[in-house]
Amino acid sequence: LLFTYKALHNQALAYISELLTPYLTGRTLRSSDQELLTIPRTKLKTKGDCAFAVVAPRLWNSLSNNIRLAETVDSFRRLLKTFLYRQAFN
């Protein structure tokens, strides 16, 4: 998820950023300002669904809006750590 955050904020290598596609719609929706990513379709359940280009958007979209919209890497890390801790122990 940290790679995904950095890729969306132009802090990662170009080839990682190229694997992620922002979710765009033809009209204005409430989800337009949430920095969601498009999850590409795969043909193989065993290997295709394990690829970074598929898993990263799925995990990214599952995060809450306040985590996705964090302004700095440090704040993203802190919010993500809290989120994952709560997921594991609640």
Side-chain angles (χ1 to χ4, degrees):
L1 289 170
L2 186 59
F3 278 128
T4 307
Y5 178 86
K6 287 183 175 184
L8 293 174
H9 292 88
N10 299 320
Q11 297 174 356
L13 298 173
Y15 75 91
I16 292 177
S17 299
E18 292 171 0
L19 296 173
L20 304 173
T21 307
Y23 178 72
L24 301 173
T25 61
R27 53 195 158 141
T28 304
L29 300 175
R30 283 182 280 163
S31 62
S32 298
D33 60 348
Q34 294 183 359
E35 289 193 26
L36 295 174
L37 296 174
T38 302
I39 302 171
R41 293 181 177 244
T42 59
K43 293 181 182 178
L44 298 175
K45 290 290 178 189
T46 54
K47 295 182 183 173
D49 284 347
C50 297
F52 176 80
V54 177
V55 175
R58 186 177 298 135
L59 291 174
W60 181 259
N61 292 347
S62 71
L63 294 175
S64 65
N65 199 26
N66 68 326
I67 298 173
R68 285 195 308 266
L69 297 175
E71 295 190 15
T72 65
V73 175
D74 290 333
S75 64
F76 176 76
R77 282 184 184 170
R78 183 175 30 84
L79 292 168
L80 180 63
K81 183 178 176 181
T82 304
F83 173 77
L84 294 174
Y85 184 81
R86 287 184 181 155
Q87 290 281 351
F89 297 109
N90 282 339

